[in-house]
Amino acid sequence: MTPKEVHRWLLKSSVLAALVICLCVLVVKLHGLLRETEAVAAVKLSEQAAIPEPTEEPEPIEASMTLSEWLTQTAYGSRFTELPEFSPAHQSSDVITGTAISVDGEPLETEYAAGPDRIMDFGFPEDYTGAKGIVTFRGNNFRDNAQYGLAEISERKFGDSWRQATDGLSDSSGGYWGGSGWTGQPLIVEWPASTRRVMNMYDWAREKEGLVEVIYCTLDGFVNFFDLETGERTRDRVFLGWSFKGAGALDPRGYPLLYVGGGLFNPSGQAPRVLVVSLIDGEILHTFGNNDDFSPRPEWSAFDSSALVDAETDQLIYPGENGVLYIEKLNTRYDETAGTITIDPEETKFTFTSSSAEEFYYGMEDSALAWRGHLFIADNGGDFICLDLNTLKIEWRFDCLDDTNCTGVMELDDTGHPYIYLSTSFHLGWRSWNTAVIPVWKIDAVTGKEVWHRDYTCYSESGLSGGVQGSLSLGKGELDGLLYVAMARCPNAGNGQLLALDTETGEEVWAFTSDSYSWSTPTCFYDTKGNGYVLYTSCIQGELYWLDGKDGTLLDTFPFNCTTEASPVVYNNTVVMGTRSMEIYGITLK
């Protein structure tokens, strides 16, 4: 062969070899694509099924796999094809000065990573509980619902009512606390017959078909139990010994467990704490949170928050006014046949310090929101944080200006992106001794970035703050796109306003002014025809207002004629709420 022919032969051989290599690469890629297609099909199949119970021995996390990647491949993330990337719009290191973690009483010196049996997700609010009722403050992890069922409305008037008396309890300083206080929402549930059978109910209640039980923790230190239909007591009330301002919470799995935190020192001077109570016999199974040396504010261990429970991992989440977030792995054992329930808690604690809180107060009084493994909560010192529950790292911090007592509310837009609506209060002397601006914010929950805010000027008094004290409420159905906010001591020092704001723009759609301010939470409810309404309660004047949710038209009033701070709930055609005058009401909606 001539040199020229050799050159041509080599060129042809090189091209042929390249084609063979390309063909091999293509085969490998096609094989990988087939495997990916099978994986996607499996994910879609899992999205159509109910989330299964975690196995006793979950798959270990591979060293090369991130926590988020592992989460999307487990039962906890099976409904979602991907997790949102929580990326802060601004760093919080200039304000957050430190964090600390304790596991079973020992300080954690390394980074925290939840084990496979403790990785929390928190998905859609309608999946929070399978119980028939309202089991925590504002119903779920979005805090967006205080109604169960739909009302049959014809007259748009309040009808008959029942009343039951409660008592009061002194604190160690001699103060007397009576009735139902801020935010004092009742819990309501229809227990299955098999669960009622093991409870210490009266015989008639245990045997009543379809019994719906009202469970109300009150300032007198008691847990009260009523038949929703008649108001008759369903069992002996249980005395726990501390005044309860917050709502408490029931276990979302339908287990007979109550979680409630004391709000004040008891008459003997014992510090408030969280109590886990068996609703089989009223026994206290566990307490925690009092006199905690881990706390940046150990002298004040009040618990006004309403707990969340992650059903998949058997974990209780409880924020404290001592500045500590408690995560209790309960290790629950419930044997309904034997009528027994036990827990064997393992405790993880988280706290953070900030230059803002150091200037004012540590502590968390609001009830936390949760979504896709993240917790959102404000504190008493102007910090609103997003916390990764599975690493206990703060993703972002938002400046909420003041002592925030109100609970925010979360919604997802049409693409599934999460947003939070929040406001704050006016702690007299912190920002002003006269009036202060109270913003209502819409916040991007992924970045912590403000979407919009609307300002209101409020007055205040020492210990009786203006601003927003209850939760914010989101409209649904025909009220979709409306946010309801009870603004206290606005526009004047003694007045209050119920505001309806446009969720897209923050513009005011309508406002209803009451003669006295409100610390209660406006409650949206709906009838079987799709009409949407709002209940709004004035504090000093003591009236319950029933308004048309679209335009704010006043439809009817119910006079309590006493101080009211608690928040109402609606179960079918009945409104339930308590007053400071030591009475609990069940009011029919006609």
Side-chain angles (χ1 to χ4, degrees):
M1 297 176 66
T2 66
K4 194 171 186 179
E5 290 173 342
V6 170
H7 177 73
R8 287 176 179 172
W9 180 84
L10 289 173
L11 183 61
K12 289 180 180 179
S13 299
S14 300
V15 171
L16 181 61
L19 288 172
V20 169
I21 292 171
C22 290
L23 182 62
C24 292
V25 171
L26 181 61
V27 170
V28 170
K29 287 191 173 182
L30 285 173
H31 180 68
L33 181 61
L34 179 62
R35 291 177 63 88
E36 289 178 8
T37 303
E38 291 172 346
V40 170
V43 169
K44 288 185 176 179
L45 211 59
S46 68
E47 290 173 356
Q48 298 170 11
I51 296 177
E53 291 293 327
T55 58
E56 291 185 1
E57 297 181 1
E59 293 283 333
I61 302 176
E62 296 177 10
S64 61
M65 193 179 293
T66 68
L67 197 63
S68 293
E69 288 170 342
W70 186 86
L71 182 59
T72 59
Q73 296 182 24
T74 65
Y76 313 123
S78 64
R79 287 198 176 190
F80 309 92
T81 55
E82 61 182 50
L83 285 170
E85 290 293 333
F86 283 80
S87 54
H90 49 273
Q91 296 297 322
S92 58
S93 57
D94 57 332
V95 177
I96 303 298
T97 56
T99 63
I101 301 168
S102 169
V103 178
D104 291 329
E106 296 295 328
L108 185 67
E109 303 297 340
T110 60
E111 290 190 349
Y112 178 83
D117 65 336
R118 299 191 184 199
I119 293 180
M120 290 183 274
D121 185 13
F122 284 106
F124 298 110
E126 57 267 28
D127 297 331
Y128 177 72
T129 178
K132 295 181 178 181
I134 302 161
V135 299
T136 189
F137 184 63
R138 312 303 294 170
N140 53 53
N141 51 304
F142 277 26
R143 309 293 182 178
D144 71 347
N145 187 28
Q147 177 186 18
Y148 184 85
L150 295 172
E152 292 278 355
I153 302 297
S154 58
E155 300 179 34
R156 299 188 176 191
K157 298 290 183 184
F158 291 114
D160 296 335
S161 64
W162 54 257
R163 289 187 291 177
Q164 276 284 2
T166 60
D167 293 313
L169 186 69
S170 298
D171 61 24
S172 57
S173 67
Y176 188 76
W177 300 82
S180 304
W182 173 93
T183 52
Q185 177 204 280
L187 309 168
I188 305 181
V189 64
E190 180 182 343
W191 298 109
S194 57
T195 308
R196 295 200 311 271
R197 181 186 61 81
V198 302
M199 289 177 163
N200 60 349
M201 291 180 172
Y202 301 142
D203 289 342
W204 70 265
R206 192 183 298 114
E207 296 165 5
K208 181 177 178 178
E209 185 177 351
L211 175 78
V212 178
E213 190 172 45
V214 178
I215 301 174
Y216 216 148
C217 305
T218 46
L219 288 166
D220 55 10
F222 281 95
V223 183
N224 301 273
F225 306 91
F226 309 110
D227 180 356
L228 174 70
E229 182 180 17
T230 65
E232 187 175 356
R233 291 190 182 273
T234 53
R235 47 178 134 178
D236 291 343
R237 56 184 184 165
V238 175
F239 183 66
L240 299 178
W242 285 270
S243 290
F244 301 117
K245 292 189 285 181
L250 300 174
D251 195 289
R253 296 165 290 187
Y255 294 170
L257 288 172
L258 170 70
Y259 312 100
V260 62
L264 298 158
F265 283 80
N266 71 6
S268 301
Q270 294 175 311
R273 61 206 65 190
V274 174
L275 304 102
V276 181
V277 182
S278 165
L279 293 179
I280 293 175
D281 55 12
E283 178 187 355
I284 298 174
L285 302 180
H286 179 49
T287 67
F288 62 88
N290 54 300
N291 307 116
D292 192 345
D293 291 337
F294 180 75
S295 163
R297 192 185 176 191
E299 74 281 357
W300 188 244
S301 57
F303 292 86
D304 292 340
S305 297
S306 182
L308 290 173
V309 174
D310 183 57
E312 299 294 339
T313 63
D314 191 29
Q315 291 183 96
L316 170 68
I317 302 172
Y318 225 121
E321 208 169 338
N322 61 356
V324 178
L325 177 72
Y326 294 86
I327 302 174
E328 305 276 320
K329 175 71 171 176
L330 295 172
N331 296 308
T332 310
R333 297 290 181 269
Y334 177 40
D335 187 336
E336 192 165 76
T337 302
T340 60
I341 192 163
T342 62
I343 60 173
D344 184 18
E346 301 169 68
E347 186 174 72
T348 299
K349 297 186 283 190
F350 168 84
T351 191
F352 69 95
T353 53
S354 78
S355 56
S356 178
E358 285 164 2
E359 186 178 354
F360 298 115
Y361 289 153
Y362 286 107
M364 298 167 279
E365 290 184 80
D366 53 324
S367 296
L369 312 168
W371 169 243
R372 302 316 320 271
H374 290 77
L375 197 78
F376 307 85
I377 192 163
D379 70 4
N380 295 147
D383 305 302
F384 181 48
I385 65 166
C386 167
L387 178 72
D388 188 321
L389 282 167
N390 300 311
T391 64
L392 297 184
K393 291 182 179 179
I394 295 176
E395 298 278 11
W396 51 255
R397 180 257 182 195
F398 182 89
D399 185 0
C400 54
L401 300 179
D402 213 313
D403 177 5
T404 300
N405 300 310
C406 79
T407 293
V409 63
M410 179 178 283
E411 73 167 350
L412 305 178
D413 68 10
D414 293 339
T415 69
H417 195 91
Y419 295 92
I420 295 170
Y421 301 91
L422 184 73
S423 190
T424 190
S425 67
F426 171 21
H427 193 112
L428 190 68
W430 283 15
R431 293 185 290 144
S432 168
W433 288 99
N434 184 17
T435 61
V437 170
I438 300 294
V440 179
W441 293 285
K442 181 176 183 177
I443 302 166
D444 187 318
V446 171
T447 64
K449 184 178 180 180
E450 178 186 305
V451 179
W452 55 252
H453 76 271
R454 184 172 181 84
D455 291 339
Y456 289 86
T457 299
C458 294
Y459 295 79
S460 198
E461 291 182 18
S462 180
L464 296 171
S465 294
V468 181
Q469 306 292 340
S471 180
L472 292 77
S473 294
L474 279 170
K476 302 176 183 179
E478 74 164 10
L479 305 183
D480 185 43
L482 291 176
L483 173 71
Y484 300 94
V485 184
M487 190 69 67
R489 300 191 179 279
C490 173
N492 301 307
N495 292 127
Q497 285 189 312
L498 175 62
L499 308 167
L501 306 183
D502 186 299
T503 57
E504 287 297 316
T505 65
E507 292 300 312
E508 186 178 293
V509 178
W510 56 260
F512 175 82
T513 302
S514 54
D515 289 340
S516 67
Y517 61 87
S518 175
W519 275 13
S520 181
T521 298
T523 296
C524 299
F525 73 97
Y526 307 86
D527 65 22
T528 54
K529 298 176 183 177
N531 298 308
Y533 309 98
V534 184
L535 297 174
Y536 168 72
T537 308
S538 62
C539 185
I540 304 303
Q541 188 181 29
E543 281 197 288
L544 178 63
Y545 301 94
W546 179 353
L547 300 115
D548 186 304
K550 297 189 299 298
D551 57 20
T553 300
L554 178 63
L555 301 175
D556 200 12
T557 59
F558 185 93
F560 293 119
N561 298 319
C562 63
T563 301
T564 55
E565 299 171 350
S567 297
V569 296
V570 177
Y571 196 106
N572 293 335
N573 270 65
T574 305
V575 183
V576 182
M577 70 173 293
T579 72
R580 287 299 304 273
S581 67
M582 297 182 285
E583 286 185 311
I584 294 171
Y585 286 77
I587 308 165
T588 301
L589 298 166
K590 295 168 58 179

